[in-house]
Amino acid sequence: NYPLKDGELAAGGAAEQAASGLAAKVLEISQAREGYALVLGLEKGQLVRQLLQQTPLLVLAVDPDQRLIDQLRRELATEGVYDRRFQALVADPAGVDLPPYLANLMTSESEAVAVKLNAGKLYSSLRPYGGVAVMPAAPLEDAEGQFKVHDGLKVARRDGPLPGTDQWTHETANAARDY
C-alpha cells in the first residue's frame, strides 16, 4: 500500500466547493438530518467530510480502495470524528450485504460505482417513513423504476410504512382491538 500524501483528501479549492455543493443538494433533496448515511463508493472522501460537517448524521463509507479508506480514517481520527460519527468499510459497494431498513440517506461520490449498484438491495436498506437514496447515476438494475431524476441526481424514496403493517396505537394494536 502507498499512503496518500498528507492533506490529499482534504485538499481545498474547487473540489471541496463542489463536494460542499453536492452535499447541500443531497441534503436538500433527502431532508435527512438524523440517523445513518451510507456513502457507497468514494472518489476522495470529500462528500463524507461535508456530510459530517453539515449534519449530525452517522456516516458509513464503503469503498474497495484500502489506501483511500486508511487515509480518510487517519484524517478523521485526528479531527476526533472517527469512531463517534464515522466508520469505513473496505469492500465492493455493489457486493456488500446491507441490513434492511438501515439508512436514512444513501449516496455515492462515484457515478461509476452508482451504476453498478442493485436498486432492489439499495431500496431494501432504506428506512421506512422517509429513507432516501440520492445517487449521481441510477443503478443499472432498476427494473421497478424506483429511481427518478430530481435536479440532475437520481432519487429513490421510501415513504410511509412497510407493506402489510399497521399503526400500533394501543395494547391490543388499536382502539378496535383487532390486532
Side-chain angles (χ1 to χ4, degrees), residues 34-102:
E34 62 184 3
Y36 290 91
L38 298 179
V39 181
L40 303 170
L42 303 176
E43 299 262 327
K44 294 187 177 187
Q46 300 276 357
L47 181 57
V48 168
R49 289 179 167 289
Q50 291 300 319
L51 289 173
L52 290 167
Q53 287 176 6
Q54 296 182 31
T55 71
L57 289 165
L58 303 169
V59 179
L60 172 64
V62 181
D63 194 84
D65 187 345
Q66 177 76 47
R67 188 182 91 154
L68 179 61
I69 293 288
D70 285 347
Q71 183 68 25
L72 188 57
R73 284 176 176 156
R74 276 192 297 278
E75 290 180 5
L76 292 174
T78 301
E79 296 170 18
V81 177
Y82 187 62
D83 280 341
R84 278 188 305 124
R85 292 192 39 230
F86 172 76
Q87 290 294 319
L89 177 64
V90 177
D92 176 13
V96 70
D97 287 325
L98 299 170
Y101 320 126
L102 169 70

Side-chain angles (χ1 to χ4, degrees), residues 47-170:
L47 181 57
V48 168
R49 289 179 167 289
Q50 291 300 319
L51 289 173
L52 290 167
Q53 287 176 6
Q54 296 182 31
T55 71
L57 289 165
L58 303 169
V59 179
L60 172 64
V62 181
D63 194 84
D65 187 345
Q66 177 76 47
R67 188 182 91 154
L68 179 61
I69 293 288
D70 285 347
Q71 183 68 25
L72 188 57
R73 284 176 176 156
R74 276 192 297 278
E75 290 180 5
L76 292 174
T78 301
E79 296 170 18
V81 177
Y82 187 62
D83 280 341
R84 278 188 305 124
R85 292 192 39 230
F86 172 76
Q87 290 294 319
L89 177 64
V90 177
D92 176 13
V96 70
D97 287 325
L98 299 170
Y101 320 126
L102 169 70
N104 299 77
L105 170 64
M106 280 190 204
T107 190
S108 178
E109 289 184 354
S110 171
E111 191 170 318
V113 169
V115 298
K116 294 178 185 175
L117 299 172
N118 180 301
K121 282 176 66 174
L122 289 180
Y123 194 76
S124 72
S125 292
L126 290 175
R127 292 188 57 80
Y129 294 103
V132 181
V134 182
M135 297 288 173
L140 292 177
E141 297 179 37
D142 186 17
E144 296 179 26
Q146 294 158 319
F147 281 82
K148 310 293 184 222
V149 178
H150 185 281
D151 205 14
L153 296 169
K154 311 306 184 277
V155 179
R157 188 176 304 272
R158 176 173 250 162
D159 290 320
L162 297 172
T165 61
D166 197 2
Q167 295 291 328
W168 192 280
T169 61
H170 291 73

